[in-house]
Amino acid sequence: MLYINTALQKIMERRDRILAFMREDAYKPLLFSELVSVLDVPKSDIGHFENLLKELEEEGSIFKTQKDRYGVPERMNLICGYLQGNEHGYGFLIPDDENMKDIFIPSGSLNGAMHKDRVIARINKKVIGDKRAEGEIIKIVKRANKTVVGTFESSKYFGFVVPDDTRISGDVFIPKDEINGAKSGQKVVAEIVVWPGKRRNAEGKIIEIIGDRDEPGSDILSIIKAYNLREDFPEEVMSQAKSISQNVTEDMLKGRRDLRELTMVTIDGEDAKDLDDAVSIEKLPNGNYRLGVHIADVSYYVTENSPLDVEALKRGTSVYLVDRVIPMLPRELSNGICSLNPKVDRLAFTVMMEIDRHGRVVDHDIFESVINVNERMTYTDVYKILEEYDEKLIERYKYLCDTFQTMKELALMLRKKRMDRGAIDFDFDEAKIILDEKGVPVEVKKYEMTIANNIIEEFMLICNETVAEHFFWTNTPFVYRIHEDPDTEKIEAFSEFVHNMGYTLKGINKIHPRALQDVLEKARGTREETIISTVMLRSLQKARYSHINSGHFGLAAKYYCHFTSPIRRYPDLIIHRIMKEYLKGSMNPSREDLLINRLPEVAKLCSDRERAAEEAERDTEDLKKVEFMKKHEGQVFEGIISNVTSFGMFVELENTIEGLVRMSSMEDDYYVYNDKNYSLIGERSRKVYRIGDVINVMLIKADISTRKIEFGIVDNSSTESDEETQEADLDEENKPKRKRKRKVMDEAIFLHVQGKKKKDKKIKV
């Protein structure tokens, strides 16, 4: 997969020269023949040159005008990017250039483009004040939706599919002879045969019937199909996986350090099966700590360019849906020989760090090892030992209790050091959804983070930083996890926003994460805490993978990578290979050139797959939350106003479920939206609804098809006078509380508490 021959390398160099030439200030769009002449293309290469221009045009890097002249879009008042559709029919162009703001595309200017299509747009109206730029799609570079998942509806002469994803505007028309046995109300997959035009819908054919709309499991399966996730593996991949021995033999240990006598444990969620990290710790005579992070050596089994490797790169990551896991690697590896199960020998990649009493790594060693984990611990049991002093657990694990205390001591020290340097710590609640055997949600509650989670979080963070810094200074081609500095305009807007709430943001011209963390600390426990955290989050970039190290803003770290989860993330797997080659002295110049050319593409692909996985996970959670609330329609709950908009306000319940109170439903007065302090103000009554207010709401509608929840405001006096009949009992053990305390790092930028998996909750950054 990473093989690049000399001819391809020359093509890549020629590609870069063409783009650089077209981006010069003096360049004017030229015909093909003129480009051949100006660039002095040999006759023997004209065919290759023409193909290269076509490739650049297809990816949107260059644009061919109606008069057959070539130029780069940015020099022609054109913007290339991805279309983000909206359920109301319009869309937004998300530019490739992350420094550019989104461009509004009216419904009449989509010109057949669909959600997620790669497109080129012309700017018709530039930014004026607070209004966005407005544009029109003039070219669809690449179609994203070859298939559409939705609900089939039939009529006498034809049928149509209503897409599940409301961002795909317009139903898909299905001719009668392409219905293929589908019946009204069934979930189906339709392949698009004719793309939509300016005044016509897409046309397609039914290629798969998922099941009846109300059939158990068809809801999640529809989301899986919509994101093109594959639960099964190709035959050649499974053949390779099944051929791998499930035992570690003596001939595998050559060149490895034997750590089988070292005391170590894994700490994961109760239902975790792919255990990819173990930890060990000891106190040294000089007072320092020796922390060992031992990671499953997946690269030993998944060799480069093998069927397993090719499939793993296509997937990019494991996907942890609310009711199942779609692994990056077959379970023979992810749950078998690569999983660090207790009391069996396993191959590992170890980072041994000596950390002083100030949390600084003063020495480290990175090497291949063989390990034998003593115990498979859970977050719950470690928490009970450390915080609840559970006598039975203490007796059972008495030989490890001192180890856990030392781990806690070091984790708290590392966290303090990280926070002191300015790492941003958001306070967002995350849900734990409990399903019955039929996939029906029976409980939704907050997932509680404990000291046990924090131990693993801090140990993985310091390990990833240590590895990234080590290989940065070797000048070896690498894949980093980066989080770039925020856009200055967005920070200025955020500064104005918090200023209106009485907070001051320091140093906005060259913002430091510590300044943002200071604002969060001052807002902690206040009514505006949630909205400040939310608006701050929107002001930041998204974390991604890159072959260039530009630091991690959210962590306030100069060096960061993903090393600790090769079972479920491809970037970890590929840097394991790179690290081994360097440590063994086999990294030669030709191999470096190969990696330099290939790693940018790998980093982008893995970032894209991560985004898709997160969206699929979020969709399944939203679906089950709405399903859970459906049976509570008409009941009243206490909630907190989490956001206020021009069309209403969002209210979040204690169990993390959020719904919308539409302004049109607030009939006691005419309310005006105050965008300065995010509030709704009644014109007659002067009643004010603000972020952080605790109010009573009735569940009006839980719409499973759109995955949306609507609330209506209940008069507080009525609620208080009849509390027993008004307040719904969602969870006897989790009565509504007004104060939310759990701290969770945010998914969209860095410390994504999806972690090893949604059910496992191990930290992912």
Side-chain angles (χ1 to χ4, degrees):
M1 199 72 180
L2 292 178
Y3 177 73
I4 291 184
N5 58 33
T6 305
L8 182 55
Q9 198 163 344
K10 287 182 179 178
I11 290 173
M12 296 292 287
E13 291 172 357
R14 183 176 293 171
R15 176 186 186 280
D16 293 341
R17 286 201 304 270
I18 292 170
L19 291 176
F21 173 61
M22 291 186 180
R23 287 170 180 154
E24 291 178 0
D25 291 340
Y27 178 81
K28 303 296 181 185
L30 299 176
L31 297 168
F32 177 77
S33 58
E34 293 171 332
L35 284 170
V36 169
S37 176
V38 171
L39 294 174
D40 197 23
V41 179
K43 286 186 178 180
S44 58
D45 283 354
I46 288 178
H48 293 302
F49 180 67
E50 186 174 14
N51 290 334
L52 184 54
L53 288 181
K54 286 181 181 178
E55 289 177 12
L56 289 170
E57 186 184 359
E58 287 172 0
E59 69 182 41
S61 295
I62 65 175
F63 183 76
K64 185 179 179 181
T65 69
Q66 292 181 343
K67 295 183 178 180
D68 295 332
R69 294 185 178 274
Y70 293 89
V72 288
E74 59 266 30
R75 297 284 313 282
M76 305 167 78
N77 192 36
L78 303 176
I79 306 295
C80 190
Y82 290 89
L83 180 69
Q84 180 176 296
N86 184 279
E87 61 182 299
H88 297 297
Y90 55 81
F92 295 93
L93 177 74
I94 313 300
D96 289 342
D97 184 350
E98 294 185 353
N99 294 319
M100 289 189 64
K101 293 184 177 180
D102 302 346
I103 298 160
F104 176 70
I105 310 292
S107 57
S109 299
L110 291 173
N111 295 329
M114 300 173 70
H115 176 58
K116 289 186 177 180
D117 283 351
R118 184 162 176 76
V119 298
I120 293 177
R122 177 188 294 112
I123 304 297
N124 293 332
K125 295 180 182 179
K126 295 185 178 181
V127 178
I128 301 175
D130 294 333
K131 291 187 177 181
R132 296 174 185 262
E134 187 174 309
E136 177 184 7
I137 304 301
I138 64 167
K139 182 177 182 180
I140 298 165
V141 176
K142 186 177 181 181
R143 290 287 188 177
N145 305 286
K146 295 179 181 178
T147 59
V148 170
V149 176
T151 303
F152 178 74
E153 301 293 346
S154 65
S155 67
K156 188 174 181 180
Y157 300 107
F158 62 90
F160 56 92
V161 174
V162 182
D164 284 350
D165 190 341
T166 56
R167 294 170 296 185
I168 299 176
S169 60
D171 303 335
V172 180
F173 173 78
I174 309 293
K176 189 174 182 179
D177 58 350
E178 298 289 4
I179 291 174
N180 296 326
K183 298 177 181 178
S184 285
Q186 288 185 322
K187 290 288 186 181
V188 299
V189 181
E191 179 183 339
I192 295 179
V193 177
V194 179
W195 298 106
K198 191 162 187 175
R199 293 183 179 85
R200 72 167 190 273
N201 285 17
E203 183 177 321
K205 62 181 180 180
I206 304 300
I207 60 171
E208 184 177 352
I209 299 171
I210 297 173
D212 291 337
R213 181 166 36 199
D214 300 324
E215 184 180 332
S218 65
D219 50 3
I220 299 294
L221 193 56
S222 296
I223 292 173
I224 290 172
K225 297 291 184 182
Y227 285 95
N228 294 314
L229 304 175
R230 280 191 62 175
E231 292 194 88
D232 58 332
F233 287 86
E235 186 176 339
E236 65 272 20
V237 174
M238 289 306 303
S239 177
Q240 184 186 356
K242 290 176 180 178
S243 70
I244 294 173
S245 171
Q246 290 294 311
N247 298 302
V248 173
T249 58
E250 285 300 316
D251 60 313
M252 298 178 180
L253 307 185
K254 185 179 179 182
R256 292 181 178 272
R257 199 173 301 181
D258 193 338
L259 301 181
R260 286 177 286 188
E261 297 303 315
L262 182 63
T263 299
M264 64 180 69
V265 298
T266 60
I267 306 177
D268 294 88
E270 280 83 353
D271 51 1
K273 294 181 176 63
D274 51 348
L275 315 178
D276 48 13
D277 57 82
V279 290
S280 62
I281 197 168
E282 59 182 312
K283 231 12 183 342
L284 300 175
N286 62 2
N288 291 351
Y289 302 83
R290 178 179 288 132
L291 172 64
V293 176
H294 317 276
I295 306 301
D297 190 357
V298 179
S299 63
Y300 179 86
Y301 301 100
V302 182
T303 54
E304 190 171 47
N305 296 327
S306 66
L308 276 169
D309 183 50
V310 172
E311 182 67 17
L313 178 56
K314 284 180 183 177
R315 296 182 178 224
T317 181
S318 295
V319 186
Y320 298 92
L321 305 179
V322 72
D323 69 336
R324 72 193 75 186
V325 177
I326 301 178
M328 183 179 79
L329 299 170
R331 287 174 173 80
E332 285 79 1
L333 279 77
S334 60
N335 297 358
I337 188 61
C338 291
S339 184
L340 303 184
N341 301 323
K343 305 188 187 330
V344 290
D345 291 351
R346 287 290 185 260
L347 303 183
F349 208 171
T350 291
V351 180
M352 199 69 77
M353 295 160 281
E354 182 178 342
I355 303 173
D356 68 15
R357 284 167 287 186
H358 302 288
R360 297 175 298 199
V361 178
V362 296
D363 194 16
H364 70 274
D365 196 7
I366 304 173
F367 53 90
E368 294 173 280
S369 60
V370 56
I371 63 174
N372 192 300
V373 172
N374 295 75
E375 299 285 354
R376 184 255 198 263
M377 301 299 301
T378 66
Y379 293 128
T380 301
D381 283 352
V382 173
Y383 170 75
K384 287 181 176 180
I385 289 170
L386 290 174
E387 301 297 319
E388 296 183 352
Y389 309 107
D390 187 295
E391 292 183 3
K392 289 184 179 180
L393 289 173
I394 289 174
E395 178 61 27
R396 179 180 174 184
Y397 298 112
K398 58 184 177 182
Y399 77 105
L400 290 173
C401 288
D402 287 344
T403 296
F404 295 141
Q405 288 292 344
T406 305
M407 287 181 177
K408 175 182 176 180
E409 186 180 301
L410 177 59
L412 293 175
M413 184 186 302
L414 291 172
R415 177 175 174 77
K416 182 180 184 304
K417 178 177 179 291
R418 187 163 58 82
M419 300 312 295
D420 286 346
R421 77 185 183 196
I424 305 174
D425 181 20
F426 286 96
D427 187 4
F428 289 109
D429 293 325
E430 182 142 346
K432 184 175 180 65
I433 301 173
I434 311 298
L435 307 178
D436 66 14
E437 64 279 359
K438 294 182 179 179
V440 177
V442 294
E443 184 181 4
V444 179
K445 59 183 181 180
K446 287 182 186 177
Y447 181 84
E448 298 296 333
M449 293 284 286
T450 69
I451 184 61
N453 302 81
N454 294 337
I455 285 171
I456 296 303
E457 173 188 338
E458 296 301 334
F459 289 0
M460 297 306 112
L461 286 171
I462 194 67
C463 177
N464 286 332
E465 287 185 46
T466 300
V467 168
E469 182 172 7
H470 180 105
F471 282 90
F472 173 81
W473 291 111
T474 65
N475 204 29
T476 305
F478 210 65
V479 176
Y480 297 92
R481 179 69 168 178
I482 66 168
H483 181 222
E484 293 149 309
D485 289 355
D487 176 66
T488 302
E489 286 187 20
K490 289 184 178 180
I491 288 297
E492 287 176 350
F494 175 72
S495 177
E496 181 181 356
F497 167 72
V498 295
H499 177 75
N500 291 329
M501 290 191 168
Y503 297 87
T504 301
L505 182 64
K506 299 177 181 178
I508 61 175
N509 291 328
K510 182 61 178 174
I511 194 72
H512 189 279
R514 184 182 291 107
L516 296 173
Q517 180 59 28
D518 287 345
V519 172
L520 288 179
E521 284 298 324
K522 290 174 183 175
R524 197 80 68 196
T526 66
R527 65 193 300 165
E528 60 266 15
E529 175 186 0
T530 300
I531 189 60
I532 286 178
S533 297
T534 302
V535 176
M536 181 186 294
L537 174 61
R538 292 171 183 165
S539 305
L540 301 178
Q541 306 267 29
K542 291 184 178 180
R544 62 186 178 89
Y545 297 107
S546 175
H547 64 295
I548 298 173
N549 177 51
S550 58
H552 199 296
F553 180 83
L555 290 173
K558 292 182 179 179
Y559 317 96
Y560 195 68
C561 71
H562 274 170
F563 163 79
T564 53
S565 295
I567 290 177
R568 65 183 179 92
R569 291 188 306 224
Y570 194 83
D572 307 53
L573 175 58
I574 197 170
I575 69 168
H576 275 219
R577 292 197 190 113
I578 294 170
M579 292 165 66
K580 283 186 180 184
E581 289 180 59
Y582 176 82
L583 294 172
K584 292 179 179 179
S586 58
M587 181 66 71
N588 55 48
S590 62
R591 175 65 170 169
E592 286 189 359
D593 288 343
L594 181 153
L595 289 168
I596 288 169
N597 280 286
R598 184 60 175 150
L599 289 182
E601 182 183 344
V602 171
K604 185 180 185 308
L605 175 61
C606 291
S607 296
D608 291 342
R609 295 312 302 158
E610 178 187 48
R611 298 281 178 263
E614 288 174 355
E615 286 185 28
E617 291 162 4
R618 187 163 50 246
D619 281 357
T620 59
E621 281 200 356
D622 289 345
L623 173 66
K624 292 302 176 183
K625 284 181 177 180
V626 176
E627 282 185 19
F628 176 74
M629 294 301 288
K630 184 69 178 175
K631 58 192 173 190
H632 295 291
E633 286 182 341
Q635 292 180 305
V636 174
F637 308 94
E638 183 181 81
I640 297 174
I641 299 176
S642 56
N643 195 7
V644 178
T645 70
S646 59
F647 53 85
M649 56 190 179
F650 289 91
V651 176
E652 183 179 315
L653 307 185
E654 178 64 18
N655 62 1
T656 76
I657 291 177
E658 191 176 57
L660 172 66
V661 176
R662 295 185 182 277
M663 195 185 296
S664 57
S665 72
M666 300 167 66
E667 298 176 347
D668 64 318
D669 201 345
Y670 180 78
Y671 287 87
V672 178
Y673 174 55
N674 186 320
D675 61 353
K676 295 296 183 182
N677 58 11
Y678 283 68
S679 64
L680 297 179
I681 304 171
E683 279 195 345
R684 176 184 54 79
S685 64
R686 308 309 295 169
K687 185 185 293 184
V688 179
Y689 289 99
R690 297 186 182 89
I691 299 282
D693 283 350
V694 176
I695 63 172
N696 293 308
V697 292
M698 177 182 287
L699 176 57
I700 304 300
K701 184 179 182 182
D703 191 333
I704 295 174
S705 62
T706 61
R707 301 171 200 151
K708 292 181 179 179
I709 291 171
E710 287 191 24
F711 290 130
I713 292 177
V714 174
D715 182 66
N716 284 329
S717 60
S718 170
T719 304
E720 290 169 4
S721 65
D722 195 8
E723 199 167 296
E724 289 185 6
T725 58
Q726 293 289 333
E727 184 176 300
D729 185 9
L730 286 182
D731 178 6
E732 190 63 36
E733 296 180 359
N734 292 279
K735 288 289 188 181
K737 301 171 186 176
R738 296 195 177 191
K739 180 88 170 172
R740 294 174 295 168
K741 297 180 179 179
R742 185 174 62 82
K743 295 180 179 180
V744 176
M745 301 293 186
D746 179 72
E747 63 175 327
I749 56 169
F750 52 106
L751 299 181
H752 175 34
V753 185
Q754 165 199 328
K756 292 183 72 176
K757 51 196 67 69
K758 284 284 183 182
K759 295 179 182 178
D760 175 359
K761 301 298 178 186
K762 188 163 286 186
I763 301 301
K764 170 186 176 186
V765 291

